Amino acid sequence: MNEVQVDEERIYQVLEPHRKKQNRYKGILLGYVCCMFVYPVVMGYLMPILVNLNRVATNVIAFIIAIIGGLLNILALPAIIILAVLWTKANREYKKKYKQLIAENVLCSMFDDAQFYPDRGYTEAEFKGMHLIYWRNDFSYYSEDLITGSYKGVEFGRADIRIRHTSGSGKSRKTIVDVDGRLMEFAWRKEINSRILIVKKGERARLESGLNEVEMEDVEFNQKFDVYAEDVHSVFYLLTPRFMEYIKTLYDRDKMIYISFDRRRLYFLQSGHGGIFEPPEKGFNVYAETEKTRDELAEIGQIIELLQLDDMAEREKLLNVEI
């Protein structure tokens, strides 16, 4: 992979004002909300004391404080809404600049034909077609930060995925996060005529028809993952010892791991650690952010090399040249 070249001073000068601006609005908003909670408590303690003094001056003070408190309560909701809108807008602009100046720069330096679409992702229909998880009708789906490109001749895609659903009703109603992670897909040229599914132990809520459970020779792998396929023997062409060792290293890091193969493409969903293009709220270091993004994106190349997809792509190129 090529070395990433960045203009640290220019990037810092552009991003730092945006970071400070969104933090300032966030601080004001949180401070205002806290005051609105603290004010009634303080007044509830102070007002009886003033009234019990039974003096004209203290009664006047208590009346004025009550009027001011009433006005503040009336203005509270509009003020909070305005501050929330300003903070959301500033935060969105900060993330947009971060992705343009760091994420996109790193991506283009590491891969061929790289394209970055911050506001796009895999559609719900595309995700369902990958058969990675059992789909519930009450799921709320969102995807962003779509990346496409190639590495050593192998085409790939990657995007952030978030899936939620609500549980309960009334006061007990709550939001459940089902998936919060990253989805990768890789073009596959090797002849494997079977659907294959690998999931973390116990994560498959319901199995689609036509898939049979497969027992691997690796005992530790069987303790951590369940494997299913249409053709049992085809699994051993995909799950090489090196690839199984790599998947096992992800077991403790990721909440859920789903790997699906549909004869043409390999899909790799890791859930539990969110998206990779999230800018810092505190001190900003351009070099550190660049290296963080590079390390995260390097996983794409690692998987391609582990699966030896690059070797297949090179052999295909040579074959085409000879023809």
Side-chain angles (χ1 to χ4, degrees):
M1 294 183 182
N2 300 326
E3 183 179 351
V4 181
Q5 301 292 334
V6 295
D7 187 340
E8 292 189 39
E9 184 176 352
R10 186 182 74 85
I11 292 175
Y12 181 83
Q13 289 176 350
V14 173
L15 287 179
E16 187 62 7
H18 286 284
R19 184 188 70 83
K20 289 182 177 179
K21 183 178 180 180
Q22 67 98 20
N23 276 347
R24 184 165 59 250
Y25 281 128
K26 182 180 179 180
I28 295 173
L29 175 61
L30 292 176
Y32 200 93
V33 171
C34 287
C35 287
M36 296 312 300
F37 280 104
V38 171
Y39 180 82
V41 175
V42 174
M43 289 300 98
Y45 175 79
L46 184 60
M47 289 294 285
I49 296 175
L50 293 175
V51 172
N52 288 335
L53 290 176
N54 198 23
R55 296 175 182 174
V56 175
T58 55
N59 288 338
V60 171
I61 293 173
F63 177 76
I64 293 174
I65 291 175
I67 293 296
I68 294 174
L71 291 174
L72 289 175
N73 285 327
I74 293 172
L75 297 174
L77 184 58
I80 290 174
I81 292 174
I82 292 172
L83 287 169
V85 169
L86 291 173
W87 172 60
T88 301
K89 183 178 179 181
N91 182 259
R92 188 183 297 118
E93 190 64 24
Y94 174 44
K95 289 184 176 181
K96 180 180 178 181
K97 290 293 182 182
Y98 176 90
K99 292 175 181 179
Q100 288 175 343
L101 296 174
I102 292 185
E104 190 168 0
N105 187 26
V106 174
L107 173 70
C108 292
S109 71
M110 294 177 66
F111 303 108
D112 298 323
D113 306 317
Q115 298 290 331
F116 182 31
Y117 308 95
D119 299 325
R120 285 175 51 191
Y122 291 104
T123 66
E124 183 177 312
E126 288 173 333
F127 182 80
K128 288 180 180 178
M130 298 173 189
H131 302 286
L132 285 159
I133 66 174
Y134 173 71
W135 188 265
R136 295 170 42 139
N137 291 330
D138 60 346
F139 274 162
S140 173
Y141 174 86
Y142 180 74
S143 179
E144 65 178 353
D145 288 341
L146 175 64
I147 293 170
T148 61
S150 64
Y151 177 72
K152 293 187 176 182
V154 178
E155 296 179 356
F156 68 85
R158 199 218 72 96
D160 292 342
I161 303 290
R162 285 187 288 277
I163 300 175
R164 300 180 175 88
H165 76 276
T166 55
S167 176
S169 59
K171 293 183 179 180
S172 62
R173 186 180 180 87
K174 59 181 179 179
T175 300
I176 307 297
V177 178
D178 298 275
V179 175
D180 183 13
R182 309 154 191 183
L183 170 63
M184 293 178 283
E185 65 168 327
F186 304 93
W188 189 270
R189 295 177 174 86
K190 196 172 182 179
E191 189 70 24
I192 300 180
N193 189 29
S194 177
R195 281 266 300 110
I196 300 172
L197 179 68
I198 303 109
V199 296
K200 210 168 182 178
K201 202 76 174 180
E203 289 295 338
R204 190 67 173 177
R206 188 181 300 175
L207 190 64
E208 59 191 89
S209 61
L211 297 184
N212 305 300
E213 188 168 2
V214 182
E215 189 84 4
M216 305 302 295
E217 295 179 359
D218 188 322
V219 176
E220 183 186 359
F221 189 87
N222 290 330
Q223 292 172 344
K224 295 181 176 180
F225 296 94
D226 291 324
V227 181
Y228 305 94
E230 291 174 331
D231 175 24
V232 173
H233 299 289
S234 65
V235 173
F236 300 94
Y237 291 100
L238 175 66
L239 283 178
T240 62
R242 289 181 64 205
F243 191 36
M244 285 195 292
E245 286 298 320
Y246 174 74
I247 297 173
K248 285 192 293 186
T249 63
L250 304 177
Y251 183 84
D252 294 327
R253 186 192 75 178
D254 298 306
K255 181 181 178 183
M256 293 174 285
I257 300 171
Y258 304 93
I259 301 172
S260 175
F261 178 73
D262 68 356
R263 297 182 178 87
R264 297 181 300 106
R265 302 187 82 81
L266 177 70
Y267 304 103
F268 203 107
L269 176 61
Q270 299 166 265
S271 176
H273 51 283
I276 66 174
F277 299 133
E278 296 299 322
E281 291 189 7
K282 297 182 179 180
F284 195 95
N285 183 297
V286 175
Y287 176 78
E289 292 302 310
T290 299
E291 286 301 300
K292 181 189 75 173
T293 301
R294 180 183 173 86
D295 290 344
E296 294 280 6
L297 290 174
E299 186 175 29
I300 294 172
Q302 291 170 2
I303 293 176
I304 289 174
E305 291 172 350
L306 277 170
L307 294 168
Q308 298 179 331
L309 291 172
D310 54 326
D311 294 338
M312 287 184 278
E314 289 300 319
R315 286 199 296 271
E316 186 177 88
K317 284 183 179 179
L318 291 173
L319 183 62
N320 290 335
V321 170
E322 291 174 359
I323 292 174

